[in-house]
Amino acid sequence: MASLSKARAALVALREDLVGEVFAPGDPGYDEARTVFSGMIELRPAVIARCADEGDVVRAVRFARDLDLRIAVRGGGHGLAGTAPTEGALLVDLRRMHEVTVDPAGEAARVEGGATMGRLHRATRPYGLAANGTAAAAVGVAGFVLGGGTGLLDRAFGLAVDSLIAVELVTAGAERIHASPDENPELFWALHGGGGNFGIATALTLELHELPEFSVALLLYRPEFGRELVRTFREIIRTGPGQVSGAVTYPASGRPVYGALLTYAGGEADLRKVAEPLLALPYEAMLPGAEALRLLDCFPGLRAHWSAECLTDLPDALVDAFCARAEAVPVPVPSGSRYTLFPGGGAAATGPARYPVPYRDASWTAHPFARWADPADDERALAWVRDARADVRPWTTGAVCLGLVGDEGPERVGAGLGAGNLLRLEKVKRTYDPDNVFRCNHNIRPV
């Protein structure tokens, strides 16, 4: 660790050199800059560098290396573990770097490291194109994609990381490099699920997909129809085309009811045909597309904890376990808590097997998501998530999408990357970050 006088001089120089802003404890704006999605996270980075461009990122990394600081990165700031603003580290805040440039002829988009899913969707929609990703607009694109995130278009187009064309990266040595199938191909492979372990992604280039229409509906059902609803939804996914996806969740729309979110990568008429079995059940209400998708968005401020398990199948016994645990949600409705089942399969399952994303063969994913306001509810909420995971353990694949879990230990990191991939990933880590500077994440250790 550097001496206090050296640290002060370096901070003064960083303030002068950075095009963006620099925040230290006590500065106006520091508390806002360190705030992340979960209200449980109260860590205080030593310095926050809100970078305006790639040159700022290089300057920030050099600053951290000179002072022997760990480096954490904030894109969207939705990570559960709060690893972005790690105590005593330099936080590289990319939120000013949020431009999305669409190439409609090439069906591709260049997305800066601080861009959110909302920005990406708004940029591609006028061209009848879409990037796979989550419907939660505030989630950062880079963290979602490089962490192997899963979304509503997986069954139609494959996992979001399957659409990765290239990555622009600043390494632990403050070098700018480019990773693609032809340039630094081993690094490019590792970025498919390895997240921020190898450097700071200042921009991604993503393949886009033709999607002139996308149809959504949300049907609400009283709890007594929950089990029948889940079984019906299961059958729709089993027999339907890859364009069909969605989720079943409880509670829904801020009420103690089940929600069946059904999506279709196509027109409304096709969606209605697919939805006929759900419409035959006694539903309480049907919400239109824009309102339905808001079900999946989340806003910061509340305390939060969540996890996930990838499932081999969805038998009736698991349906019963899901419904029982969902209806036992430990904090009052509305709180933001919910328990969700969403399907895999389709193009996600048949995508490239060479990448370290071992969960692509999951038939379903169980995703308990707790949010609450009162710290007195902490243990009840955390226990509910743990119990939900335990309920489904007989049907788990053993893999997990790391984008859906927090800091659950090295075994879960291995489950998210695949045990057969770990040694290869560790060698890539040694090449690009031998000192494990980027360890405020689901960490891969250099060997």
Side-chain angles (χ1 to χ4, degrees):
M1 185 66 68
S3 68
L4 184 59
S5 59
K6 179 181 178 181
R8 286 173 175 167
L11 181 60
V12 169
L14 183 66
R15 292 186 192 276
E16 293 174 349
D17 293 344
L18 222 67
V19 178
E21 299 89 25
V22 176
F23 303 96
D27 287 348
Y30 172 82
D31 285 332
E32 182 279 328
R34 72 182 178 89
T35 300
V36 291
F37 177 78
S38 174
M40 295 181 74
I41 306 301
E42 280 293 335
L43 300 180
R44 301 178 67 84
V47 180
I48 301 171
R50 184 171 288 168
C51 298
D53 54 29
E54 189 179 49
D56 271 1
V57 176
V58 171
R59 296 178 193 103
V61 171
R62 286 175 179 160
F63 166 84
R65 298 310 308 271
D66 286 347
L67 297 182
D68 194 26
L69 295 176
R70 292 164 295 165
I71 301 175
V73 183
R74 175 174 182 153
H78 270 235
L80 170 62
T83 49
T86 298
E87 194 86 20
L90 167 72
L91 170 61
V92 177
D93 185 342
L94 301 177
R95 285 179 292 171
R96 281 189 57 171
M97 300 171 58
H98 53 59
E99 293 301 315
V100 177
T101 306
V102 177
D103 173 10
E107 296 188 347
R110 181 181 181 274
V111 184
E112 288 190 326
T116 60
M117 283 293 171
R119 283 184 176 273
L120 177 57
H121 294 327
R122 288 193 297 273
T124 59
R125 194 177 301 132
Y127 302 102
L129 298 171
N132 196 5
T134 175
V139 169
V141 176
F144 178 87
V145 172
L146 299 182
T150 179
L152 293 173
L153 293 172
D154 291 356
R155 287 171 46 80
F157 301 131
L159 298 174
V161 75
D162 296 342
S163 297
L164 191 62
I165 295 173
V167 183
E168 297 163 44
L169 207 71
V170 174
T171 69
E175 297 180 57
R176 308 182 199 204
I177 62 173
H178 189 268
S180 71
D182 301 318
E183 194 173 355
N184 297 305
E186 189 71 356
L187 173 61
F188 184 69
W189 171 84
L191 289 167
H192 287 70
N197 270 283
F198 312 104
I200 301 174
T202 56
L204 313 181
T205 303
L206 300 174
E207 177 189 3
L208 302 178
H209 307 277
E210 292 186 13
L211 189 68
E213 292 184 275
F214 181 64
S215 305
V216 182
L218 175 66
L219 294 132
L220 303 179
Y221 300 82
R222 294 196 306 273
E224 58 262 36
F225 299 108
R227 287 156 179 79
E228 187 177 2
L229 159 64
V230 178
R231 291 193 294 267
T232 302
F233 194 93
R234 176 186 65 189
E235 191 64 14
I236 287 174
I237 296 298
R238 188 185 70 81
T239 60
Q243 291 94 325
V244 178
S245 192
V248 176
T249 191
Y250 181 96
S253 197
R255 297 166 52 195
V257 294
Y258 282 87
L261 179 74
L262 196 65
T263 66
Y264 194 87
E268 186 176 335
D270 291 325
L271 173 66
R272 282 195 163 271
K273 185 175 180 179
V274 168
E276 285 176 358
L278 289 175
L279 295 169
L281 298 177
Y283 61 91
E284 292 279 284
M286 181 166 63
L287 305 182
E291 190 173 350
L293 287 178
R294 280 199 290 271
L295 170 73
L296 298 181
D297 214 345
C298 293
F299 301 95
L302 291 176
R303 304 172 78 78
H305 182 67
W306 61 85
S307 191
E309 292 289 350
C310 293
L311 308 174
T312 58
D313 201 358
L314 188 58
D316 287 346
L318 200 160
V319 172
D320 291 342
F322 166 77
C323 292
R325 187 63 59 191
E327 292 169 28
V329 62
V331 288
V333 176
S335 67
S337 295
R338 59 179 180 250
Y339 192 4
T340 301
L341 280 173
F342 58 86
T350 59
R354 62 187 178 275
Y355 294 128
V357 280
Y359 47 86
R360 68 166 64 252
D361 61 349
S363 296
W364 292 83
T365 297
H367 184 29
F369 185 107
R371 299 190 74 204
W372 65 101
D374 189 346
D377 288 324
D378 284 3
E379 183 48 43
R380 287 198 303 153
L382 270 60
W384 178 73
V385 172
R386 289 195 302 268
D387 291 343
R389 287 185 57 201
D391 291 341
V392 304
R393 194 159 292 137
W395 301 281
T396 58
T397 67
V400 66
C401 174
L402 289 178
L404 295 177
V405 303
D407 183 5
E408 297 182 1
E411 287 187 6
R412 288 281 270 180
V413 174
L417 298 168
N421 298 315
L422 271 178
L423 180 58
R424 185 176 172 186
L425 287 163
E426 288 167 348
K427 290 178 178 178
V428 177
K429 177 76 170 182
R430 183 180 62 194
T431 299
Y432 292 95
D433 184 15
D435 299 323
N436 204 13
V437 172
F438 299 112
R439 60 184 182 272
C440 304
N441 48 32
H442 289 114
N443 194 233
I444 299 167
R445 303 182 71 85
V447 297

